[in-house]
Amino acid sequence: MEFRIGASYPSTFSLQSSLLPPLKSVTTFTPDWKRRRSTCIQTFSVSYHNFVEFALDETRCHTHLTPSPLQEKFSFMNSKDGKGMLSMLSFEAAKIRLLRSLIIETETMQVFDFAVFPEAEYDVPIFCANFFTSAKTNIVVLDLNPLHDVINQHEYKDKYFKSLIPLGLKYTQLFPWGGKLTSESIKFFSPIVIWTKFTSDPQKYDILYSAFKDYYKVWLEMICKSVKETDESQIVLNLEAQHRYLTWRVEKDPGQGVLKKLIGDTLAKDLLRSFLFNGVDQLGSKTFYDYFPQYCTEEGTLHKKGNIVGKSFENRPWDVTGEFIGG
Ligand code: BLA
C-alpha cells in the first residue's frame, strides 16, 4: 500500500515536534503505529483503518490521489495523556478538493471521521462517514450529504438520490433511526442517511462496513460521471453550500468536546478549522450567524428574536419513497 497510515510519510511526527509541547506525554508509544494500535484498541471488535484503506483503494481504481499539503502538518498526534492517538490522512484528486480522514483510538473509544469534498464546479454531495464507538454505544452518521435542498425541491433529489432509495432502504431497515438530533442537521442529510445508534456487536460492524463500501462506491460513481459546471452562478451556489456546511460542522460538531479533552482547546480548534473542515476560512466570508441566525439568541449576541434551537425528529423523517415527512 502506497500511503499506509503513518508508514510512508517522513513527516509523520512533524506535528508532534511542532505543535505538541509536552514530550513526556508522547514517549509512551514507539513509532510503530500498529503496535500502538493493538494496545489501544484491544477491547474493540472494529478497526476503522480497514474502512479508510478500502476507500483509498477504491478511489485509486478511478482516479489518481495526490497527498494534500495538509498531510505535512496533520498526520499523527498523541492525546495529552499519552493514551490515545489520532491518525490523519488527506488527499486531493481531479474533481476532489479534499479527501480527509481522522481516526481516533483510545482505551475507551474509537472515532472515524471521513469526508470527501468535491470541487465547487461539481454539485455532487459531500461524502460523510462519522462513527463514534465506545464500550457502551455506537453513534453513526453515514450519508452523501446533499449540497442543495432535498426537502422542498425535487430537482437535486431526483438527480442524485432517486436511484439510491432502494440502497438506502436496505440499510435503514437494518439500522433503525438514532432518535432526536440537532434539528438543523436534517437539512444537511439526504433521504438515504443512516443515522443510528447501537450497542457493540461484531455483526453490526460487518453491516456497517458493507454500508460504508456500498455508499462509497455509489458516491465514486457519482463523482466520476459528474460533468464540470460552467455556469458561474451555479458554481457560486455550490461554493456557498459547501461553505455553509463547513461553517455548520466547525461550530456545531458534537465531537468538539471530546476533541478538546483529548488534545486541548488550541490543537482541537486548529484540527477542526484547518484539517477536518478545511475551507471554512477560505471558501467564503459569511459567518455562522449569517447562515444560522436562529442561533443568535442562544449565544445572546443579538436581539431575542428567532427560533429556540433544539433537538427534533424522534423518528425517521423520510418515507420509503424518499419523501420528507418531517413537517
Ligand atoms: C453525536 N454526531 C452526533 C450526533 C450527530 C452527529 C447528528 C447526534 C447528536 C446531535 O445531533 O447533537 C453527527 N451531525 C453529525 C454529522 C453532521 C451533523 C456528521 O450535523 C453533518 C452535517 N463525533 C465526531 C468526532 C467525535 C464525535 C470527531 O465527529 C469525537 C471526537 C463524537 N458525536 C460524538 C459524540 C456524540 C456525537 C460523543 C454524542 C454527543 C451527544 O449526545 O451530545
Side-chain angles (χ1 to χ4, degrees), residues 184-195:
E184 275 70 19
S185 292
I186 214 72
K187 291 185 198 143
F188 295 104
F189 291 172
S190 83
I192 64 161
V193 65
I194 299 173
W195 153 238

Side-chain angles (χ1 to χ4, degrees), residues 11 18 34 36 58 136 139 141 148 184 195 212 217 229 251 283 305 319:
S11 59
S18 62
K34 280 196 173 172
R36 281 193 304 261
E58 200 64 23
K136 276 196 202 141
I139 301 173
V141 175
H148 303 298
E184 275 70 19
W195 153 238
F212 177 80
K217 282 193 257 182
E229 180 66 67
E251 193 74 32
L283 301 188
K305 196 176 148 224
D319 72 11

Side-chain angles (χ1 to χ4, degrees), residues 86 102 104 109-113 128-133 139-142 145 178-189 195 197 245 248-249 252-260 262 271-272 276-277 311:
L86 294 81
L102 166 69
I104 304 175
M109 66 168 185
Q110 286 196 89
V111 176
F112 180 44
D113 189 345
C128 163
N130 197 252
F131 309 155
F132 173 87
T133 294
I139 301 173
V140 165
V141 175
L142 176 61
N145 291 151
K180 284 189 176 181
L181 75 175
T182 311
S183 45
E184 275 70 19
S185 292
I186 214 72
K187 291 185 198 143
F188 295 104
F189 291 172
W195 153 238
K197 288 180 183 170
Y245 178 91
W248 169 255
R249 292 204 61 189
K252 287 287 165 192
D253 203 280
Q256 286 201 24
V258 181
L259 273 183
K260 283 179 182 166
L262 279 176
L271 187 67
L272 281 159
L276 289 177
F277 306 117
K311 299 215 176 190

